Amino acid sequence: MHALSLLVVAASAVSALSLSIPNGLSDRALSHRRQLPPRIPTGNIQIIDAADVGNFDYTATLTNAGNVDQACVCFKTINANGQLGFFQGNEEFEFVLTANGGAAAIAADADSLGGCTCGAGSVPLTPFGAFASTFFEFRFANLERAGWSDAVASATVAGAAGFDFPGINVCAIGMCSTINSDGTGSNAYLPGYESEDRLGLNIAPRPINFDVTIAYAG
């Protein structure tokens, strides 16, 4: 069992669907066709109060460890209109994590696929409109994986665009996927790791909450 980077999933989606790809999306960003899913997961995501995660089976809690407010967006990898969700305007929702411990949470259906990303003041964008900070990527109770869930920290988009990327730490049941503020990391997709495999957290079928630290100092 393994987690996939958003670039891998995007490539799979482009192969599986007739999608409208924004001008300027490089071939490199669509070249990682290691796995072609038989279909795109259809589960939805919603923002909830962090105190309510116990009322849902599949959740993630995002907490701002930094001293400035963080603007965040969450998305389905392929949205209901068949668009790549990690481009500006295609996200599911946006919110702000206040400085020094502000928290929010998302709840997801089974068989959902997507991610969240944040930036100090605003989420940075590539010239062609892709979100380009560090990502928390997730799959909850994936049908093709017999109900397994997975999550991973990723900086491949920011790295490909030549941007700095803030730290992020994604943890659950004693495992973590980490990108440090100095650009190092462990069990995560760092720039240039697009062809790597078996990174991230892999969770056997069960309710799960991923604990995500934004602006992680490392």
Side-chain angles (χ1 to χ4, degrees):
M1 299 296 183
H2 58 279
L4 297 180
S5 124
L6 281 170
L7 296 183
V8 177
V9 174
S12 300
V14 170
S15 299
L17 297 177
S18 176
L19 296 174
S20 176
I21 306 302
N23 290 334
L25 183 60
S26 70
D27 290 340
R28 180 170 182 266
L30 296 174
S31 65
H32 309 291
R33 294 180 171 86
R34 300 197 316 276
Q35 285 196 351
L36 299 180
R39 54 169 194 89
I40 301 302
T42 57
N44 291 313
I45 61 174
Q46 63 177 313
I47 189 167
I48 61 172
D49 189 277
D52 292 334
V53 295
N55 297 325
F56 300 86
D57 287 340
Y58 306 111
T59 59
T61 303
L62 288 78
T63 304
N64 181 5
N67 58 10
V68 297
D69 291 354
Q70 294 280 327
C72 304
V73 295
C74 293
F75 51 86
K76 295 167 62 175
T77 300
I78 304 298
N79 68 18
N81 297 320
Q83 300 166 315
L84 296 173
F86 48 94
F87 283 83
Q88 186 179 43
N90 297 347
E91 68 273 15
E92 299 298 305
F93 48 81
E94 57 187 31
F95 55 96
V96 173
L97 297 176
T98 55
N100 302 310
I106 65 168
D109 291 335
D111 196 41
S112 57
L113 171 69
C116 299
T117 187
C118 303
S122 62
V123 181
L125 300 171
T126 69
F128 47 90
F131 299 119
S133 189
T134 44
F135 287 97
F136 154 56
E137 304 175 22
F138 58 79
R139 283 191 295 197
F140 285 108
N142 184 256
L143 292 183
E144 277 71 47
R145 303 179 68 236
W148 282 63
S149 299
D150 57 64
V152 70
S154 173
T156 56
V157 176
F163 291 3
D164 293 332
F165 42 92
I168 187 171
N169 198 36
V170 180
C171 298
I173 58 172
M175 300 180 290
C176 292
S177 175
T178 306
I179 295 176
N180 298 309
S181 58
D182 64 0
T184 62
S186 61
N187 195 28
Y189 282 99
L190 296 170
Y193 277 35
E194 290 86 351
S195 63
E196 296 293 324
D197 209 342
R198 301 189 181 280
L199 296 174
L201 286 60
N202 292 280
I203 312 296
R206 55 166 288 175
I208 189 68
N209 177 68
F210 292 112
D211 186 10
V212 183
T213 304
I214 303 298
Y216 179 69

